[in-house]
Amino acid sequence: MSQYKVSQSDTTHGADGEHHLVKGQQSSMRLWHREEPNADKPESTHEYETLGYVIEGKVDLIVNGETIRLQPGDSYHVPAGAPHTFRVTETLTAVEVTTPGTDK
Protein backbone atom coordinates (compact mmCIF):
# COMPACT_ATOMS: atom_id res chain seq x y z
CA MET A 1 0.00 0.00 0.00
CA SER A 2 1.41 3.40 -0.99
CA GLN A 3 1.37 6.41 1.24
CA TYR A 4 0.75 9.47 -0.89
CA LYS A 5 0.49 12.05 1.89
CA VAL A 6 2.08 12.46 5.31
CA SER A 7 0.55 15.21 7.45
CA GLN A 8 2.74 17.22 9.80
CA SER A 9 1.08 15.53 12.78
CA ASP A 10 2.12 12.13 11.38
CA THR A 11 5.85 12.84 11.00
CA THR A 12 8.32 11.12 13.28
CA HIS A 13 11.47 12.50 14.89
CA GLY A 14 14.89 10.90 14.82
CA ALA A 15 17.50 10.67 17.55
CA ASP A 16 19.49 13.57 16.06
CA GLY A 17 16.51 15.96 15.90
CA GLU A 18 15.55 15.37 12.28
CA HIS A 19 11.90 15.21 11.23
CA HIS A 20 11.18 12.20 8.98
CA LEU A 21 8.70 13.44 6.39
CA VAL A 22 7.93 10.80 3.77
CA LYS A 23 9.52 7.58 2.53
CA GLY A 24 9.10 6.15 -0.94
CA GLN A 25 10.30 2.93 -2.53
CA GLN A 26 13.73 4.35 -3.43
CA SER A 27 14.28 7.41 -1.20
CA SER A 28 13.17 9.28 1.88
CA MET A 29 12.85 12.94 2.86
CA ARG A 30 13.69 14.60 6.16
CA LEU A 31 13.72 18.12 7.58
CA TRP A 32 16.20 19.74 9.91
CA HIS A 33 14.06 22.46 11.51
CA ARG A 34 15.64 25.35 13.44
CA GLU A 35 18.82 23.44 14.35
CA GLU A 36 20.77 25.64 16.73
CA PRO A 37 24.48 26.43 16.23
CA ASN A 38 26.74 23.64 17.40
CA ALA A 39 30.32 22.46 17.49
CA ASP A 40 31.35 19.78 15.02
CA LYS A 41 29.35 16.61 15.40
CA PRO A 42 31.35 13.37 15.25
CA GLU A 43 32.35 12.40 11.72
CA SER A 44 30.21 9.64 10.23
CA THR A 45 29.64 7.66 7.06
CA HIS A 46 26.37 6.24 5.74
CA GLU A 47 25.32 3.64 3.20
CA TYR A 48 22.99 6.16 1.55
CA GLU A 49 23.68 9.36 -0.40
CA THR A 50 22.16 12.65 0.76
CA LEU A 51 20.94 15.55 -1.37
CA GLY A 52 20.00 18.69 0.55
CA TYR A 53 18.77 22.27 0.26
CA VAL A 54 19.32 25.04 2.81
CA ILE A 55 16.13 27.00 3.48
CA GLU A 56 17.50 29.32 6.17
CA GLY A 57 20.61 29.68 8.29
CA LYS A 58 24.22 28.78 7.65
CA VAL A 59 26.19 25.56 8.03
CA ASP A 60 29.69 24.34 7.31
CA LEU A 61 29.51 20.88 5.75
CA ILE A 62 32.78 18.96 5.93
CA VAL A 63 32.92 16.12 3.35
CA ASN A 64 36.09 14.08 2.78
CA GLY A 65 38.02 16.75 4.70
CA GLU A 66 36.75 19.62 2.51
CA THR A 67 34.74 22.41 4.18
CA ILE A 68 31.78 23.69 2.17
CA ARG A 69 30.05 26.80 3.52
CA LEU A 70 26.31 26.70 2.85
CA GLN A 71 23.66 29.42 3.12
CA PRO A 72 20.02 29.83 2.06
CA GLY A 73 19.46 28.74 -1.52
CA ASP A 74 22.48 26.40 -1.62
CA SER A 75 22.11 22.71 -2.45
CA TYR A 76 24.55 20.01 -1.37
CA HIS A 77 25.47 16.39 -1.97
CA VAL A 78 27.06 13.86 0.42
CA PRO A 79 27.99 10.68 -1.47
CA ALA A 80 27.29 7.28 0.07
CA GLY A 81 30.29 6.16 2.11
CA ALA A 82 31.86 9.64 2.32
CA PRO A 83 33.15 10.65 5.78
CA HIS A 84 31.37 13.85 6.77
CA THR A 85 30.24 16.11 9.59
CA PHE A 86 28.71 19.57 9.89
CA ARG A 87 28.86 22.69 12.02
CA VAL A 88 25.72 24.85 12.22
CA THR A 89 26.88 28.49 12.40
CA GLU A 90 23.45 30.18 12.18
CA THR A 91 20.12 28.54 13.11
CA LEU A 92 19.46 26.12 10.25
CA THR A 93 16.44 24.79 8.41
CA ALA A 94 17.22 22.37 5.58
CA VAL A 95 15.46 19.60 3.73
CA GLU A 96 17.23 16.41 2.63
CA VAL A 97 16.50 13.41 0.43
CA THR A 98 18.37 10.16 1.05
CA THR A 99 18.77 7.35 -1.47
CA PRO A 100 18.14 4.60 -0.69
CA GLY A 101 15.59 5.70 1.90
CA THR A 102 16.49 5.54 5.57
CA ASP A 103 14.89 5.97 8.95
CA LYS A 104 18.02 7.77 10.23
Side-chain angles (χ1 to χ4, degrees):
M1 182 168 153
S2 295
Q3 187 171 12
Y4 297 113
K5 176 184 174 181
V6 178
S7 296
Q8 182 178 2
S9 61
D10 295 328
T11 62
T12 60
H13 297 89
D16 294 322
E18 72 278 16
H19 302 255
H20 297 282
L21 301 178
V22 66
K23 186 172 183 181
Q25 293 178 349
Q26 303 294 323
S27 57
S28 60
M29 182 181 286
R30 62 188 176 193
L31 174 71
W32 299 92
H33 186 250
R34 310 237 1 112
E35 290 291 310
E36 294 297 325
N38 66 333
D40 289 350
K41 294 192 173 201
E43 188 174 79
S44 62
T45 60
H46 302 290
E47 67 280 1
Y48 51 85
E49 78 172 334
T50 302
L51 303 174
Y53 178 79
V54 177
I55 297 168
E56 68 176 28
K58 294 182 181 176
V59 62
D60 292 339
L61 174 64
I62 300 100
V63 180
N64 287 321
E66 180 181 347
T67 301
I68 301 106
R69 298 189 188 284
L70 300 167
Q71 60 186 5
D74 290 341
S75 297
Y76 55 92
H77 173 236
V78 179
H84 65 282
T85 186
F86 61 92
R87 179 185 320 110
V88 176
T89 58
E90 186 178 297
T91 304
L92 176 72
T93 297
V95 65
E96 294 182 335
V97 172
T98 60
T99 305
T102 181
D103 292 324
K104 295 181 183 178

Coordinates of all heavy atoms in Angstrom, one line a residue, residues 54-86:
V54 N 19.4 24.2 1.6 CA 19.3 25.0 2.8 C 18.2 26.1 2.6 O 18.2 26.8 1.6 CB 20.7 25.8 3.1 CG1 20.6 26.7 4.2 CG2 21.8 24.7 3.3
I55 N 17.2 26.1 3.5 CA 16.1 27.0 3.5 C 16.5 28.3 4.2 O 16.3 29.4 3.7 CB 14.9 26.4 4.1 CG1 14.5 25.1 3.2 CG2 13.7 27.4 4.2 CD1 13.4 24.3 3.8
E56 N 17.1 28.1 5.4 CA 17.5 29.3 6.2 C 18.7 28.9 7.1 O 18.9 27.8 7.4 CB 16.4 29.9 7.0 CG 15.9 29.0 8.2 CD 14.8 29.7 9.0 OE1 14.1 30.5 8.5 OE2 14.8 29.4 10.2
G57 N 19.5 29.9 7.4 CA 20.6 29.7 8.3 C 21.9 29.4 7.5 O 21.9 29.5 6.3
K58 N 22.9 29.1 8.3 CA 24.2 28.8 7.7 C 24.8 27.6 8.3 O 24.7 27.3 9.5 CB 25.2 30.0 7.8 CG 24.7 31.2 7.0 CD 25.6 32.3 7.1 CE 25.1 33.5 6.4 NZ 25.9 34.7 6.5
V59 N 25.6 26.8 7.5 CA 26.2 25.6 8.0 C 27.5 25.3 7.3 O 27.6 25.6 6.1 CB 25.2 24.4 7.9 CG1 24.8 24.1 6.5 CG2 25.7 23.1 8.6
D60 N 28.5 24.8 8.0 CA 29.7 24.3 7.3 C 29.6 22.8 7.2 O 29.5 22.1 8.2 CB 30.9 24.7 8.1 CG 31.2 26.2 8.1 OD1 30.7 26.9 7.2 OD2 31.9 26.6 9.1
L61 N 29.6 22.3 6.0 CA 29.5 20.9 5.7 C 30.9 20.4 5.4 O 31.6 21.0 4.5 CB 28.6 20.6 4.6 CG 28.5 19.2 4.1 CD1 27.9 18.2 5.1 CD2 27.7 19.1 2.8
I62 N 31.4 19.5 6.2 CA 32.8 19.0 5.9 C 32.6 17.6 5.3 O 32.2 16.6 6.0 CB 33.6 18.9 7.2 CG1 33.7 20.4 7.8 CG2 35.0 18.4 7.0 CD1 32.8 20.7 8.9
V63 N 33.0 17.4 4.1 CA 32.9 16.1 3.3 C 34.3 15.7 2.8 O 35.0 16.5 2.1 CB 31.9 16.2 2.2 CG1 31.8 14.9 1.4 CG2 30.6 16.7 2.6
N64 N 34.8 14.5 3.2 CA 36.1 14.1 2.8 C 37.2 15.1 3.1 O 38.1 15.3 2.3 CB 36.1 13.8 1.3 CG 35.4 12.5 1.0 OD1 35.4 11.5 1.7 ND2 34.6 12.5 -0.1
G65 N 37.0 15.8 4.3 CA 38.0 16.7 4.7 C 37.9 18.1 4.1 O 38.6 19.0 4.4
E66 N 37.0 18.3 3.2 CA 36.8 19.6 2.5 C 35.6 20.3 3.2 O 34.5 19.8 3.3 CB 36.5 19.4 1.0 CG 36.2 20.7 0.3 CD 35.9 20.5 -1.2 OE1 36.1 19.4 -1.7 OE2 35.4 21.4 -1.8
T67 N 35.8 21.6 3.6 CA 34.7 22.4 4.2 C 34.0 23.2 3.1 O 34.6 23.9 2.3 CB 35.3 23.4 5.2 OG1 36.0 22.6 6.2 CG2 34.2 24.2 5.9
I68 N 32.7 23.0 3.1 CA 31.8 23.7 2.2 C 30.9 24.6 3.0 O 30.1 24.1 3.8 CB 31.0 22.7 1.3 CG1 31.9 21.8 0.5 CG2 30.0 23.4 0.4 CD1 32.0 20.4 1.1
R69 N 30.9 25.9 2.8 CA 30.1 26.8 3.5 C 28.7 26.9 2.8 O 28.7 27.3 1.6 CB 30.7 28.2 3.7 CG 32.0 28.1 4.4 CD 32.6 29.4 4.8 NE 33.9 29.3 5.4 CZ 34.2 28.9 6.6 NH1 33.2 28.6 7.4 NH2 35.4 28.9 7.1
L70 N 27.6 26.7 3.5 CA 26.3 26.7 2.8 C 25.4 27.8 3.5 O 25.5 28.0 4.7 CB 25.6 25.3 3.0 CG 26.4 24.1 2.4 CD1 25.8 22.8 2.9 CD2 26.3 24.2 0.9
Q71 N 24.6 28.4 2.7 CA 23.7 29.4 3.1 C 22.4 29.2 2.4 O 22.3 28.4 1.5 CB 24.3 30.8 2.9 CG 24.6 31.1 1.5 CD 25.3 32.4 1.3 OE1 25.7 33.1 2.3 NE2 25.5 32.9 0.1
P72 N 21.3 30.0 2.7 CA 20.0 29.8 2.1 C 20.1 29.8 0.5 O 20.8 30.7 0.0 CB 19.2 31.0 2.6 CG 19.8 31.3 3.9 CD 21.3 31.1 3.7
G73 N 19.5 28.9 -0.1 CA 19.5 28.7 -1.5 C 20.5 27.8 -2.0 O 20.5 27.4 -3.2
D74 N 21.5 27.4 -1.2 CA 22.5 26.4 -1.6 C 22.0 25.0 -1.5 O 21.3 24.6 -0.6 CB 23.7 26.5 -0.8 CG 24.5 27.8 -1.0 OD1 24.3 28.5 -2.1 OD2 25.3 28.2 -0.1
S75 N 22.4 24.2 -2.5 CA 22.1 22.7 -2.4 C 23.4 22.0 -2.2 O 24.5 22.5 -2.4 CB 21.6 22.2 -3.8 OG 20.3 22.9 -4.1
Y76 N 23.3 20.8 -1.7 CA 24.5 20.0 -1.4 C 24.3 18.5 -1.6 O 23.2 18.0 -1.7 CB 25.0 20.3 0.1 CG 24.0 20.0 1.1 CD1 23.9 18.8 1.8 CD2 23.1 21.0 1.5 CE1 23.0 18.5 2.8 CE2 22.2 20.8 2.5 CZ 22.1 19.6 3.1 OH 21.2 19.3 4.1
H77 N 25.5 17.8 -1.7 CA 25.5 16.4 -2.0 C 26.5 15.7 -1.1 O 27.7 16.2 -1.0 CB 25.8 16.1 -3.4 CG 26.0 14.7 -3.8 ND1 27.2 14.2 -4.4 CD2 25.2 13.6 -3.6 CE1 27.1 12.9 -4.5 NE2 25.9 12.5 -4.1
V78 N 26.1 14.7 -0.3 CA 27.1 13.9 0.4 C 27.0 12.5 -0.2 O 25.9 11.8 0.0 CB 26.7 13.8 1.9 CG1 27.7 13.0 2.7 CG2 26.7 15.3 2.5
P79 N 28.0 12.0 -0.9 CA 28.0 10.7 -1.5 C 27.9 9.6 -0.4 O 28.4 9.7 0.7 CB 29.3 10.6 -2.2 CG 29.8 12.0 -2.4 CD 29.3 12.7 -1.2
A80 N 27.3 8.5 -0.8 CA 27.3 7.3 0.1 C 28.7 6.9 0.4 O 29.6 6.9 -0.5 CB 26.6 6.1 -0.6
G81 N 29.0 6.6 1.7 CA 30.3 6.2 2.1 C 31.3 7.3 2.4 O 32.4 7.0 2.8
A82 N 30.9 8.5 2.1 CA 31.9 9.6 2.3 C 31.9 10.1 3.8 O 30.8 10.3 4.4 CB 31.5 10.8 1.5
P83 N 33.1 10.1 4.4 CA 33.1 10.7 5.8 C 32.7 12.1 5.8 O 33.2 12.9 4.9 CB 34.6 10.5 6.2 CG 35.4 10.2 4.9 CD 34.4 9.8 3.9
H84 N 31.9 12.5 6.7 CA 31.4 13.8 6.8 C 30.9 14.2 8.2 O 30.6 13.4 9.0 CB 30.2 14.0 5.8 CG 29.0 13.2 6.2 ND1 28.9 11.9 5.9 CD2 27.8 13.5 6.8 CE1 27.8 11.4 6.3 NE2 27.1 12.4 6.9
T85 N 30.8 15.5 8.4 CA 30.2 16.1 9.6 C 29.8 17.5 9.2 O 29.9 17.9 8.1 CB 31.3 16.2 10.8 OG1 30.6 16.6 12.0 CG2 32.4 17.1 10.5
F86 N 29.2 18.2 10.2 CA 28.7 19.6 9.9 C 28.8 20.4 11.2 O 28.7 19.9 12.3 CB 27.3 19.6 9.3 CG 26.2 19.0 10.2 CD1 25.5 19.8 11.0 CD2 26.0 17.6 10.1 CE1 24.6 19.3 11.8 CE2 25.0 17.1 10.9 CZ 24.3 17.9 11.8

